[in-house]
Amino acid sequence: MEILWVLMAAVMLSFVLLPFLRRRRGGIEQVPAGHPDAADPADYGFVLQEELDIRMPGPDQDLLDVLDLVQRTQDYKAAAQLLAGTEREGELRWQRVQAFAGAASLELQQRPGGVGEAPGGQWLRVWRAEQPKDAGGAAVHAEFLVQQAWRTSTPGTDDFRIIMEEARAACGEAALLAPGDPVPYIVELSVARGLAYAQPEFEQLWLKILDRAPNHMGAHLAALHYWCEKWHGSRELAYGFAEAAAARAPRGSLLAAMPLFAVFEHLPEVNLVSGFYRSEVVTKAIHGALHAVHSARADDPMLAHVRHLLVFFLVRGERWAEAMNQLVHIDGHVGALPWTLSADPASEFAIYRALAVAGYEANGGSPATLTQ
């Protein structure tokens, strides 16, 4: 069975993905319409690879509209208004804080500034200068510093530590401006990982989050990184953290999917065989995530994150129909794990999507049989 997976993948990559690969090389060799190798994502209602949105895991039109306005006008006020109207304890606020901070950080990277030229992300600096007591702006600034540290420096260097210490202070300021808001403490989870907080110190930080938002999925995912083997924990500690979260998850909570994220964080460096993805630990984690997805609210902001990771595992485990059932819900947006770990998230997602389509059709599936 293992050699079958390797052969199947090779065949799919050479034939099914040929149109994608040709498109990525600049469209020099376009496959003619109607050619048997021309896999049209429109057959399943899927969007073209070049139209995939890599900014977010799922749609948030209000955020997209505000981001467009802020970046076009360099006026922060719409961002401040959106955050002020977003529930503090919910997942959406955390995602929007990340998005605004990421936009400012990316702008600065693209336009670092110079003689006669203002640096990118200037709207965030103006926001902090004009409204220093605004809790939303303070949280975005703290997250901006965290993203700058990871984006521009190497962990363990002086530059990294200096930026992270500044981020830590910014988290404290943001927390003082909004005592009931978990977001400043969630931002600090990344600081804790970068500065290698001792476990007792990290646990004290975690308790502050649990006091404010005990079922916050984004916070749990951020904390999971700290407990992983590649950072300051171990496989056992990470699995234990994830399984404890799943065990106490209330009905309808996506925390039941946490073990799948723990498995993903500890995948072997090289593993092309499907046997691993059908092992007991992986199968159990997949079933927990599927149960979480089926019982979650349709508008849960974290639902798309779980669906994206499920696609990865379901395709690897050759569970084609189940993978397709997840794809119909998330196609169009690819700003989530595991795709964001790739230098080209849209391409990575398109490969797995094409594998799912090929496996589905090889087992008798068609657009007509796919349940929406």
Side-chain angles (χ1 to χ4, degrees), residues 262-277:
V263 170
F264 179 76
E265 292 295 337
H266 294 87
L267 287 177
E269 288 293 331
V270 178
N271 197 319
L272 296 176
V273 300
S274 62
F276 170 79
Y277 294 92

Side-chain angles (χ1 to χ4, degrees), residues 23-55:
R23 265 202 305 273
R24 273 206 311 278
R25 287 171 184 161
I28 297 174
E29 297 181 81
Q30 288 294 331
V31 180
H35 190 281
D37 288 341
D40 186 359
D43 289 345
Y44 290 88
F46 297 151
V47 304
L48 296 174
Q49 176 184 327
E50 54 266 32
E51 296 174 359
L52 292 169
D53 191 327
I54 65 173
R55 294 172 295 180

Side-chain angles (χ1 to χ4, degrees), residues 201-362:
E201 185 180 7
F202 183 86
E203 288 167 350
Q204 286 298 312
L205 171 62
W206 182 239
L207 286 174
K208 293 177 182 177
I209 294 171
L210 292 182
D211 286 343
R212 291 161 176 79
N215 300 315
H216 199 291
M217 179 73 171
H220 279 78
L221 291 177
L224 176 65
H225 290 297
Y226 176 91
W227 294 113
C228 285
E229 189 173 62
K230 59 189 173 186
W231 287 105
H232 310 298
S234 64
R235 181 188 299 266
E236 292 72 26
L237 286 171
Y239 278 29
F241 175 80
E243 288 164 2
R248 67 170 182 271
R251 180 172 178 79
S253 169
L254 287 166
L255 288 177
M258 283 297 299
L260 190 64
F261 286 87
V263 170
F264 179 76
E265 292 295 337
H266 294 87
L267 287 177
E269 288 293 331
V270 178
N271 197 319
L272 296 176
V273 300
S274 62
F276 170 79
Y277 294 92
R278 295 176 175 177
S279 64
E280 182 180 355
V281 64
V282 175
T283 299
K284 182 180 177 182
I286 288 175
H287 288 169
L290 286 170
H291 172 74
V293 164
H294 292 153
S295 60
R297 299 188 336 265
D299 63 347
D300 191 315
M302 295 302 294
L303 185 55
H305 287 272
V306 181
R307 290 191 187 278
H308 279 288
L309 197 62
L310 272 169
V311 168
F312 172 86
F313 278 98
L314 291 170
V315 167
R316 283 292 188 174
E318 300 176 11
R319 297 167 65 165
W320 314 117
E322 291 170 292
M324 292 294 288
N325 286 335
Q326 299 304 319
L327 281 167
V328 298
H329 292 286
I330 58 171
D331 189 75
H333 297 84
V334 296
L337 287 175
W339 328 120
T340 50
L341 296 179
S342 168
D344 188 348
S347 171
E348 189 76 4
F349 175 82
I351 288 173
Y352 275 79
R353 184 176 66 181
L355 287 169
V357 170
Y360 181 64
E361 293 187 347

Side-chain angles (χ1 to χ4, degrees), residues 8 35 115 134 145 159 165 167-169 180 182 185 200 221 226 230 268 301 341 356:
M8 188 175 182
H35 190 281
V115 178
D134 182 73
L145 291 170
D159 286 347
E165 290 289 0
R168 184 178 189 174
Y185 299 102
L221 291 177
Y226 176 91
K230 59 189 173 186
L341 296 179

Side-chain angles (χ1 to χ4, degrees), residues 103 105-113 117 120:
S105 179
L106 192 57
E107 278 186 44
L108 182 59
Q109 182 183 42
Q110 294 170 343
R111 301 194 310 276
E117 181 186 17

